[in-house]
Amino acid sequence: ELVEASAHTSGWVTLSLKALAGVTELAVTATTIEADSFVISYPGDRAATMPSKGQTLQADASDTAAFFVSPKRAYCKEHVDFAVTAAYVDASGAPQTQTFPIEVPTNTLTTRKGEEAIAIQSVEQLDQGWVKLHFISDQTITDFAVTASTVDGVCRVAYPGALFYASLARGSTLHPGQSDFTSMRLIRPEDSTDAVTMSFHVSHSESCATELVLNVPVKLETQKPISADTVDSQSDDLKCSLETTPFQVSKVIRDGPQWVGLEFTATETVTEWSMVATSTDDVAISYPGGRQFTSLAGSSTLRLGTSDKSAFRMVPSEAAIAAGDSALVDFVVTFKHASSPGMCSITLQRSIPFNSEQEATVVRQPCEFTTTPISYLGACCAEEGGYVSLKFTTSKTVNDVRVHVTGITNGLTVVHPANSAYSSLATSSTLSDGTIDTAAVRPVFGDGWDQANTSFRVNVRVTFAYNGQDCGFEEEVEISLDALTPTHAE
């Protein structure tokens, strides 16, 4: 019989066994239905654990056996259920097995709770109350979301796209060692104090019910009038040294009934461009590809003397249409300038009509390549959640790389991270000459899938920008099920 099971914070679970009759060849194994969260191993890397005094127990004799539990990911239930099976030979020489259910408190195991899975690298204070948080993780996390509040409740928090939370700039997934940022805006009354303490509540796939709460003091500068285009050059964290705006809005373009584009012309070259839009009017704002910001159409660089467009989607409510024919929209553009040691921020405000005679789309030049510089290298590197990585390389540096994958084989559906319309590269949106990067997709096998299949076919379409031109290529590829783990393939 199993007298007792005890767990230790080191990850070991000790079993106290008592023989009611004499047994030989005693070996013990353990299993759990939470196999996606835990790995079970035994001393000496054996296939089972043996009693400390040997595999023979006389009647009424007691002994102990142990196994090790290693967490694979965060586990949010209070207890972990295991089934312990003892295999032995009884006094008559017949092989027997007995199974005992045991319950182990989760907090006695070295299970990640998510707090140490992610960290804030830095907090930047931008103009007009915008706060930018840079995150880094030591493991792959998905479903990232962050909300914020002020400890004293003075400020209201607004998120890009009129959402109730903020996600990461590149989506909702963060890979090991990868850094990404999210932004939000603090809206405070005029008579509030200059400094507030913010609590950032971070939740993701590796966190449990108790969210990570980070108290960060944020000093709010006196807000500048939004009516003028201004450069933020006062933040010590930002360290932007510019005093003049290195670009201007050349026109507002309507790309159909809902999409709006701001065309910018550069008087100086700027890089690492991103833009977010908010409005106090009753309109819903979103960005291409389901992102939490919009960049330029060509790349994240706006070069001296050139023009490019940042697009976003604006959908007015019936109440907004009834109240007027336009919405007042605030824009925050962040960028890097060669003469400034840090990131800079420009705040703009424009009245955007719901309907416009400027129903025009910026037509980009056709791609000059007759042979695409990007090459598909194959599938590899299965990840948790059923994702598989597709490898790419390039013979020329290209920007704004997006990978669109659709299933060809019957019963196959391909899903991109965060249910986006495409997958981004793991490292950045730029693929440099001679480098290799990956994009993750998740194959889903449903009705019509033949279980005898050993591979599946997909259509891979890659779009990218090169010298201000929109380029792309398509290729049908075959991916072996060996690229997935057995669980994913099943």
Side-chain angles (χ1 to χ4, degrees), residues 26-51:
L26 176 60
V28 180
T29 57
T31 58
T32 177
I33 60 173
E34 308 293 349
D36 60 336
S37 297
F38 298 95
V39 174
I40 298 172
S41 57
Y42 308 101
D45 291 328
R46 293 190 295 261
T49 182
M50 312 300 177

Side-chain angles (χ1 to χ4, degrees), residues 56-70:
T56 298
L57 278 182
Q58 303 297 329
D60 296 326
S62 298
D63 205 347
T64 59
F67 62 92
F68 185 75
V69 180
S70 176

Side-chain angles (χ1 to χ4, degrees), residues 114-444:
E115 286 82 355
E116 69 274 31
I118 191 168
I120 288 184
Q121 285 184 303
S122 62
V123 179
E124 295 182 14
Q125 295 174 238
L126 309 181
D127 197 21
Q128 297 299 328
W130 282 94
V131 178
K132 189 175 182 180
L133 293 86
H134 292 261
F135 292 90
I136 192 169
S137 177
D138 64 357
Q139 61 181 292
T140 298
I141 64 170
T142 58
D143 301 326
F144 180 96
V146 58
T147 58
S149 61
T150 55
V151 174
D152 54 10
V154 170
C155 295
R156 181 169 63 88
V157 181
Y159 305 101
L163 298 175
F164 297 103
Y165 65 93
S167 190
L168 297 168
R170 296 173 181 165
S172 61
T173 299
L174 196 61
H175 296 281
Q178 180 185 16
S179 177
D180 205 346
F181 70 88
T182 187
S183 302
M184 60 195 66
R185 187 183 185 190
L186 296 180
I187 302 174
R188 63 165 187 161
E190 294 181 357
D191 58 351
S192 66
T193 58
D194 288 339
V196 296
T197 298
M198 293 187 68
S199 292
F200 298 103
H201 303 260
V202 180
S203 63
H204 50 80
S205 60
E206 294 301 309
S207 65
C208 295
T210 302
E211 294 178 330
L212 173 61
V213 179
L214 304 167
N215 292 322
V216 178
V218 176
K219 186 178 185 301
L220 295 180
E221 303 290 344
T222 302
Q223 295 191 8
K224 305 171 186 178
I226 302 179
S227 57
D229 298 349
T230 56
V231 179
D232 182 351
S233 59
Q234 299 180 8
S235 170
D236 291 337
D237 292 334
L238 199 60
K239 297 180 181 177
C240 178
S241 59
L242 296 182
E243 296 182 357
T244 58
T245 305
F247 51 81
Q248 60 185 5
V249 179
S250 50
K251 58 182 171 180
V252 177
I253 303 168
R254 294 299 303 240
D255 290 349
Q258 294 182 345
W259 286 94
V260 180
L262 264 63
E263 185 177 272
F264 296 89
T265 300
T267 55
E268 300 175 57
T269 297
V270 295
T271 60
E272 300 183 34
W273 177 289
S274 67
M275 185 182 82
V276 293
T278 58
S279 177
T280 56
D281 294 326
D282 193 5
V283 295
I285 295 175
S286 57
Y287 305 101
R291 293 181 295 179
Q292 300 303 310
F293 71 101
T294 182
S295 187
L296 296 168
S299 70
S300 61
T301 298
L302 188 62
R303 300 191 181 279
L304 169 65
T306 64
S307 297
D308 206 343
K309 180 187 68 171
S310 289
F312 64 96
R313 187 184 185 195
M314 185 179 76
V315 181
S317 67
E318 293 183 0
I321 295 175
D325 58 0
S326 64
L328 201 60
V329 181
D330 299 337
F331 301 94
V332 176
V333 179
T334 58
F335 59 92
K336 187 74 182 291
H337 188 276
S339 65
S340 177
M343 296 293 292
C344 295
S345 171
I346 300 291
T347 300
L348 315 167
Q349 188 179 71
R350 293 291 185 272
S351 177
I352 307 298
F354 298 146
N355 294 294
S356 172
E357 295 180 357
Q358 296 179 332
E359 296 284 342
T361 301
V362 174
V363 179
R364 305 192 62 79
Q365 295 296 321
C367 184
E368 66 179 17
F369 293 121
T370 55
T371 302
T372 177
I374 296 182
S375 300
Y376 169 73
L377 300 180
C380 73
C381 319
E383 302 178 13
E384 290 185 5
Y387 284 89
V388 62
S389 293
L390 309 181
K391 294 193 296 184
F392 298 91
T393 189
T394 181
S395 59
K396 294 181 181 293
T397 297
V398 295
N399 301 300
D400 199 20
V401 179
R402 305 181 183 186
V403 180
H404 314 254
V405 182
T406 54
I408 297 176
T409 305
N410 287 338
L412 171 67
T413 303
V414 179
V415 179
H416 299 90
N419 291 320
S420 175
Y422 63 90
S423 296
S424 300
L425 297 177
T427 303
S428 79
S429 61
T430 297
L431 191 60
S432 301
D433 180 12
T435 62
I436 296 176
D437 208 341
T438 62
V441 295
R442 179 164 64 91
V444 178

